[in-house]
Amino acid sequence: MKKTVLLCTLLMAITAMAMAKNRKIKVITPYGTMVIRLWDQTPKHRDNFLKLSRQHFYDSTLFHRVIKQFMIQGGDPDSKRAKPGAPLGEGDVGYTIPPEFQLDLFHRKGALAAARDDNPTKSSSGCQFYIVQGKTFTDEQLDHLEKTRLGGRKIPVDQREIYKTEGGSPHLDQNYTVFGQVIKGMEVIDKIAAVKTDSLNRPLENVPMKIRVIKKWLLF
């Protein structure tokens, strides 16, 4: 009996660990579906995003701010009922999330990161997020960024190579929390980033989304 209880406990523990690692979600849009892996190094952001996704919080919200060669932003609850042309970006859930900056999580193309206002602690919005499109950089451009926007902080060699080949938005590194990465459907970012927008960077035609947690059980 004791052995059976111990085995069940062990299996439950292994299952919980397996489910907690590398959670994936899918973002469903009129332009296709993106699959995103959420990073375990940012547990507060990961768990909050999973909670909201399970509650279907993001269903019918819009990608309300789109800037080509930079990023696509969404998650504002006010966007569900917004009239055409109405300014968006101020909606929230009444709480923020402490920053979880990690040196190995950076703003490469496809990075999922938390939006925020200009608060001194750099705490993240409880719901709004963006996905990086970015652009590619030369060594000279990255050198200039290090001296200016990055305040002298050096971009690691491996990250520099990715910014030169795949692209991204390096000026945001260590200022906004990256907590996931698109692993499938990268072309969807480019399609959304190419839509026509108004003077507030809101798409002229709504780009709604649904977000679902991908359930995957893996014991061994």
Side-chain angles (χ1 to χ4, degrees), residues 4 12 22 32 55 76 102 106 121 161 171 173 199 210:
T4 301
M12 288 175 64
N22 294 326
Q55 294 172 351
D76 181 348
Q102 302 291 333
F106 57 105
T121 64
E161 192 61 30
H171 63 283
D173 287 348
S199 60
K210 291 193 298 185

Side-chain angles (χ1 to χ4, degrees), residues 36-179:
I36 300 178
R37 175 178 287 124
L38 303 180
W39 299 126
D40 292 328
Q41 300 102 303
T42 52
K44 293 182 177 68
H45 287 75
R46 177 200 64 198
D47 293 348
N48 179 69
F49 202 74
L50 288 171
K51 178 192 73 173
L52 294 178
S53 298
R54 290 195 187 98
Q55 294 172 351
H56 294 185
F57 172 89
Y58 291 110
D59 289 8
S60 298
T61 59
L62 307 178
F63 280 102
H64 65 270
R65 183 170 177 243
V66 170
I67 303 177
K68 192 174 183 180
Q69 294 190 323
F70 182 30
M71 56 90 226
I72 57 176
Q73 182 174 334
D76 181 348
D78 294 343
S79 67
K80 293 183 181 184
R81 299 167 294 278
K83 294 180 180 180
L88 293 169
E90 298 299 322
D92 61 36
V93 286
Y95 61 84
T96 58
I97 305 171
E100 295 182 291
F101 303 143
Q102 302 291 333
L103 291 176
D104 61 335
L105 300 182
F106 57 105
H107 286 79
R108 65 193 300 175
K109 184 176 182 179
L112 169 68
R116 65 172 175 81
D117 58 17
D118 191 22
N119 67 86
T121 64
K122 300 183 180 179
S123 295
S124 303
S125 164
C127 58
Q128 292 198 43
F129 65 90
Y130 59 91
I131 301 172
V132 174
Q133 183 192 36
K135 62 181 181 180
T136 56
F137 289 79
T138 64
D139 278 317
E140 290 75 18
Q141 290 172 323
L142 293 174
D143 290 342
H144 180 70
L145 271 178
E146 288 177 343
K147 296 174 183 176
T148 55
R149 298 289 294 273
L150 297 181
R153 188 182 70 82
K154 294 292 183 180
I155 300 172
V157 175
D158 57 334
Q159 296 179 18
R160 176 179 275 259
E161 192 61 30
I162 289 173
Y163 283 134
K164 288 164 55 179
T165 55
E166 299 176 17
S169 298
H171 63 283
L172 301 179
D173 287 348
Q174 306 306 306
N175 272 298
Y176 294 78
T177 297
V178 173
F179 64 99

